[in-house]
């Protein structure tokens, strides 16, 4: 991992500033709309002193229990070789394939579904964040109101169009922008708190309990709006591998948490004296002279938050491809110095179309807020479930401790999930449907790959049998190096069988190359290559890569030189299998899933491009397989 040590001094400061921009951009823009939705949203409650203190109390304890305790203190400890996120957590609890049980498969599917929810989040977050910031123009003059939607769409479309150019240059501004944003949140909030210090009583938990008891069902439903303050908590865990625990924790407790609390309490203090401003309490506490600069700063902050979520979707896609849950897609590195800055075109355009559609469909951030929260709370429930397995199986914690912590997490998370379920008919179904569709694609691609591997084994033979046949009846040898990519390390690739059958010759040097993705983020270079010599110029190379890495044949053969094997990338011939797929009778999967697999297969990258093999040196050998 890049940040496994304990940074100090200037390096710690630099990492903390970068983490502020990337990790806390999403949760840091919630003050734009979270408190407003409690009092002016779809299920807004009356603006009374008791309700204001009750809502602020719920906000305070939500940030303390969900973000500070659950994620920053506990879940952040469950790293997978330094990497975080629900996909890394899933690989922690996933046993080897031969040990897979129904219960384990259920946990894996749960984890995949939670990861898929990121795509829905990646569509809603840019829409609601940018729209809520631009709506501040309406506070400058009503003349801007007819153009709010147009300006929002222009910003969002520009953001997605710029993705392919990368964010290496503007990325250095992310941290400073969010730092200025957080400082502004704290200052305008502090001004109101000083004027009405009685609002600080909201830190006492019984104000929140009294709010829920007094308002009954209505108060419970308002929890769906309260939860908006914690959206972005999953991103904190997902970005663990980029920055490490110490910078993330330091940034949260010293900068983000105080700034957010001061702003929420400042908005609440203003509502105690001016309840009629509930339609937008954030801009109501901004001094009149600072409205225009604050709208500009808010827009910049929401762009940073959106960028972080979009990049997260790209990273998730890259990991899913390496783990075999998605077809090969072109992943473009947009920065030579930052590994995490990548671009995946199909994902970018899908996010753009859906984000623009959400803005056009909902038209206001308040309506979008009604669709926001279900996906995030569902993901948090899955995280709590998987974290329990880690505590019991990996860390071997005693049952009372693990069960007690999980019960606390479930009580909080499920309360918010149930409250957000009331939003289903108001658009919250959208991110769930997106996640389900992506999950179906992932499971179909994985299952289809397993079926094809079984079919291919019927066309080939075990490696031991092949070597014995070569020794008993040597074919004609021709000078040169031939590399055969193979799905399995112990079987001969179909391309080799077909080549021998039709050309009846064998190169003087033959390399069977099996590239594996391991269930860990990264494999050290000295452990990447397994090399075995069988004699007669025949070799087997097994290359191990982590799911956060991108395998290339150039790197593989560079590492092979240290083991005494020199494959000339300029002259070697690469033999790849090209399967012609048809739907079997009956199909191995449901016909619609087989058709989906065929569609995905036709639109995925071919192995030569994916593994960066020179196209002029590729020889494709076809085989017909049924799916």
């Amino acid at each position: 991992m890049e940040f496994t040590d304990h940074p100090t001094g200037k390096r710690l400061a630099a990492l903390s500033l970068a983490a502020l921009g990337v990790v806390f951009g999403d949760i840091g823009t919630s003050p734009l709309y979270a408190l407003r939705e409690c009092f002016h949203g779809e299920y807004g409650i009356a603006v009374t002193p008791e309700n204001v203190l009750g809502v602020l109390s719920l906000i305070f304890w939500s940030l303390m229990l969900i973000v500070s305790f659950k994620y920053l203190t506990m879940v952040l400890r469950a790293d997978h070789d330094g990497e975080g996120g629900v996909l890394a957590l899933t690989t922690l609890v996933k046993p080897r394939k031969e040990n897979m049980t129904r219960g384990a498969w259920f946990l894996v599917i749960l984890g995949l579904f939670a990861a898929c929810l990121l795509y829905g989040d990646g569509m809603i977050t840019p829409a609601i964040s940018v729209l809520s910031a631009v709506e501040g123009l309406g506070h400058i003059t009503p003349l801007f109101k007819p153009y709010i939607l147009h300006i929002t769409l222009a910003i969002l479309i520009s953001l997605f169009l710029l993705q392919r150019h990368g964010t290496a240059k503007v990325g250095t501004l992310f941290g400073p922008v969010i730092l200025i944003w957080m400082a502004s949140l704290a200052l305008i909030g502090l001004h109101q708190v000083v004027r009405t210090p009685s609002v600080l009583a909201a830190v006492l938990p019984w104000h929140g309990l009294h709010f829920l008891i007094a308002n009954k069902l209505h108060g419970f439903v308002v929890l769906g709006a309260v939860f908006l303050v914690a959206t972005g908590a999953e991103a904190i865990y997902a970005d663990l591998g980029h920055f490490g625990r110490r910078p993330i924790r330091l940034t949260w407790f010293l900068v983000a948490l105080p700034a957010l609390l001061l702003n929420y309490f400042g908005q609440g203090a203003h509502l105690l004296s001016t309840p009629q401003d509930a339609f937008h309490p954030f801009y109501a506490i901004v001094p009149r002279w600072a409205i225009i600069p604050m709208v500009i700063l808010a827009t910049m902050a929401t762009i940073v938050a959106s960028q972080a979520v979009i990049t997260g979707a790209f990273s998730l896609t890259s990991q899913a491809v390496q783990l075999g849950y998605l077809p090969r897609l072109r992943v473009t590195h947009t920065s030579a110095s930052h590994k995490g800055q990548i671009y995946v075109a199909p994902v970018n355009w899908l996010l753009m179309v859906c984000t623009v559609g959400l803005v056009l469909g909902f038209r206001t951030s308040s309506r979008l807020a009604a669709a926001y929260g279900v996906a995030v709370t569902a993901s948090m429930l899955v995280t709590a479930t998987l974290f329990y397995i880690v505590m019991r199986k990996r860390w071997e914690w005693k049952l009372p401790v693990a069960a007690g912590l999980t019960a606390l997490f479930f009580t909080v998370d499920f309360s918010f999930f149930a409250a957000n379920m009331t939003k289903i008919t108001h658009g919250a179904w959208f991110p769930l449907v997106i996640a389900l569709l992506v999950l179906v694609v992932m499971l179909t691609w994985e299952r289809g790959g397993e079926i094809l591997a079984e079919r291919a084994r019927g066309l080939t033979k075990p490696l031991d049998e092949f070597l014995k046949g070569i020794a008993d009846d040597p074919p004609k040898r021709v000078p040169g190096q031939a590399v055969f990519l193979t799905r399995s390390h112990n079987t001969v690739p179909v391309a080799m069988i077909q080549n021998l059958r039709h050309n009846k010759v064998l190169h003087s040097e033959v390399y069977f190359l099996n590239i594996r993705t391991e269930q860990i983020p990264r494999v050290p270079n000295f452990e990447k290559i397994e090399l075995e010599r069988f004699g007669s110029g025949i070799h087997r190379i097994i290359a191990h890569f982590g799911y956060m890495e991108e395998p290339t044949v150039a790197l593989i053969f560079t590492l092979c030189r240290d083991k005494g094997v020199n494959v000339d990338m300029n002259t070697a011939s690469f033999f790849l299998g090209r399967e012609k797929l048809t739907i079997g009778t009956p199909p191995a999967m449901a016909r619609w899933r087989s058709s989906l697999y065929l569609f995905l297969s036709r639109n995925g990258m071919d192995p030569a491009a994916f593994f960066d093999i020179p196209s002029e040196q590729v020889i494709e050998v076809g085989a017909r397989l049924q799916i």
Side-chain angles (χ1 to χ4, degrees):
M1 181 180 105
E2 193 173 353
F3 304 113
T4 50
D5 60 341
H6 295 83
T8 57
K10 291 183 179 179
R11 186 160 180 263
L12 175 61
L15 284 173
S16 299
L17 182 61
L20 185 63
V22 175
V23 179
F24 299 109
D26 189 0
I27 199 170
T29 53
S30 296
L32 285 166
Y33 49 81
L35 196 67
R36 178 196 67 195
E37 293 307 307
C38 296
F39 296 104
H40 191 71
E42 192 76 27
Y43 303 106
I45 202 160
V47 187
T48 65
E50 294 79 11
N51 286 344
V52 170
L53 291 179
V55 167
L56 287 177
S57 182
L58 291 172
I59 288 174
F60 175 82
W61 288 104
S62 296
L63 290 174
M64 298 307 293
L65 289 174
I66 296 177
V67 186
S68 299
F69 181 61
K70 178 184 176 182
Y71 281 94
L72 270 296
T73 304
M74 300 304 302
V75 176
L76 220 58
R77 301 170 64 179
D79 68 289
H80 189 202
D81 286 353
E83 294 295 333
V86 70
L87 203 56
L89 193 59
T90 303
T91 56
L92 275 177
V93 304
K94 182 180 180 181
R96 293 182 176 275
K97 205 157 198 174
E98 57 270 18
N99 300 327
M100 191 69 74
T101 62
R102 286 188 178 182
W105 267 119
F106 176 72
L107 290 175
V108 170
I109 292 173
L110 263 185
L112 285 177
F113 178 66
C116 293
L117 288 167
L118 176 63
Y119 291 103
D121 188 33
M123 297 166 187
I124 293 183
T125 295
I128 189 173
S129 299
V130 175
L131 186 53
S132 61
V134 176
E135 283 172 344
L137 293 172
H139 291 261
I140 301 172
T141 171
L143 295 176
F144 279 122
K145 287 187 176 180
Y147 305 104
I148 287 174
L149 217 58
H150 301 82
I151 296 171
T152 300
L153 291 173
I155 292 171
L156 289 171
I157 291 173
S158 299
L159 176 64
F160 284 105
L161 289 177
L162 290 172
Q163 291 302 310
R164 65 188 181 93
H165 299 293
T167 58
K169 293 181 180 179
V170 298
T172 57
L173 299 175
F174 286 1
V177 165
I178 299 299
L179 181 61
I180 296 171
W181 170 250
M182 291 291 183
S184 301
L185 291 181
L187 288 173
I188 61 176
L190 180 62
H191 178 69
Q192 298 296 324
V193 172
V194 169
R195 291 176 59 183
T196 315
S198 60
V199 75
L200 294 175
V203 300
L204 301 174
W206 50 76
H207 285 288
L209 293 173
H210 179 265
F211 172 84
L212 294 174
I213 294 169
N215 292 285
K216 299 180 176 62
L217 182 60
H218 194 177
F220 178 75
V221 170
V222 172
L223 279 178
V226 170
F227 179 75
L228 294 173
V229 305
T231 55
E234 280 284 333
I236 296 171
Y237 180 40
D239 286 315
L240 172 62
H242 293 108
F243 304 101
R245 294 185 189 88
R246 193 177 184 191
I248 290 175
R249 286 172 174 164
L250 188 70
T251 304
W252 171 252
F253 287 110
L254 293 185
V255 181
L257 179 61
L260 291 172
L261 288 177
L262 280 172
N263 194 264
Y264 286 125
F265 275 66
Q267 292 183 45
H270 180 76
L271 290 181
L272 287 175
S273 59
T274 318
Q276 63 270 23
D277 282 345
F279 70 98
H280 219 313
F282 176 81
Y283 284 110
I285 66 172
V286 177
R288 195 69 190 168
W289 59 267
I291 287 287
I292 294 177
M294 186 56 74
V295 170
I296 295 172
L297 180 59
T299 303
M300 293 174 65
T302 55
I303 289 172
V304 171
S306 302
Q307 178 63 51
V309 174
I310 294 168
T311 302
F314 293 160
S315 298
L316 172 62
T317 302
S318 177
Q319 293 175 35
V321 168
Q322 299 296 348
L323 289 170
Y325 292 117
L326 287 175
R328 300 183 187 102
L329 297 171
R330 184 177 298 280
V331 177
T332 304
H333 287 266
T334 58
S335 171
S337 57
H338 296 84
K339 289 183 178 180
Q341 293 185 8
I342 60 176
Y343 170 71
V344 184
V347 176
N348 185 63
W349 302 132
L350 175 64
L351 290 178
M352 187 184 79
V353 169
C354 291
T355 300
V356 169
L358 285 169
V359 172
L360 291 174
F362 287 89
R363 308 189 74 81
T364 69
S365 62
S366 187
R367 290 176 182 170
L368 269 169
Y372 202 24
V374 173
V376 184
T377 51
S379 182
M380 287 182 174
L381 281 170
V382 173
T383 296
T385 303
L386 299 179
F387 186 63
Y388 171 78
I389 304 299
V390 170
M391 287 189 288
R392 291 287 291 149
K393 302 294 185 184
R394 285 266 179 168
W395 300 344
E396 297 181 348
W397 285 15
K398 293 182 179 179
L399 180 60
V401 177
L405 281 173
T406 305
L408 173 63
F409 297 155
F410 258 84
T411 300
V412 176
D413 293 345
F414 190 79
S415 297
F416 283 118
F417 177 75
N420 275 287
M421 286 300 288
T422 60
K423 301 178 179 181
I424 285 292
T425 57
H426 295 269
W429 56 267
F430 180 80
L432 296 179
V433 169
I434 293 293
L436 282 171
L437 290 175
V438 176
L439 179 64
V440 167
V441 168
M442 286 186 174
L443 295 178
T444 298
W445 182 258
E446 183 195 35
R447 178 59 186 145
E450 292 174 351
I451 293 169
L452 281 189
E454 293 171 7
R455 298 280 195 267
R457 278 194 288 270
L459 300 177
T460 184
K461 59 180 66 175
L463 183 58
D464 293 343
E465 182 182 328
F466 172 79
L467 294 174
K468 185 177 183 302
I470 291 293
D472 294 342
D473 185 17
K476 181 180 179 181
R477 307 297 289 263
V478 295
Q481 295 177 319
V483 180
F484 292 83
L485 265 68
T486 176
R487 294 177 185 268
S488 172
H489 71 284
N490 55 12
T491 58
V492 181
V494 175
M496 166 63 88
I497 300 296
Q498 298 285 68
N499 180 59
L500 266 180
R501 180 180 299 159
H502 295 288
N503 296 324
K504 306 187 186 309
V505 294
L506 199 63
H507 287 72
S508 57
E509 292 183 41
V510 175
Y511 299 90
F512 296 126
L513 176 57
N514 176 224
I515 301 175
R516 295 182 182 179
T517 299
E518 304 297 338
Q519 300 292 318
I520 57 175
R522 294 178 179 85
V523 176
N525 280 348
F526 65 87
E527 296 180 5
K528 274 188 167 68
I529 302 299
E530 285 185 56
L531 178 65
E532 191 172 354
R533 296 175 173 86
F534 297 111
S536 302
I538 299 176
H539 311 72
R540 175 170 64 190
I541 300 171
I542 303 176
H544 303 268
F545 287 85
Y547 59 79
M548 295 289 289
E549 299 179 291
E550 292 182 37
T552 63
V553 293
L555 174 59
I556 291 169
F557 291 130
T558 297
L559 296 174
C560 283
R561 290 196 194 104
D562 297 333
K563 296 182 178 290
V565 168
N566 187 11
V567 177
D568 190 343
M569 287 288 295
N570 297 315
T571 60
S573 298
F574 292 85
F575 288 80
L576 307 181
R578 168 70 72 176
E579 295 102 352
K580 182 173 178 58
L581 304 180
T582 58
I583 298 177
T585 308
M589 298 185 287
R591 182 167 291 275
W592 66 269
R593 292 186 72 191
S594 296
S595 299
L596 174 60
Y597 185 87
L598 289 181
F599 172 80
L600 295 172
S601 180
R602 293 187 188 115
N603 288 277
M605 286 180 67
D606 63 85
F610 186 76
F611 295 118
D612 200 20
I613 302 173
S615 57
E616 64 275 8
Q617 293 165 235
V618 173
I619 301 169
E620 293 186 337
V621 181
R624 184 182 294 273
L625 296 174
Q626 291 187 338
I627 187 75

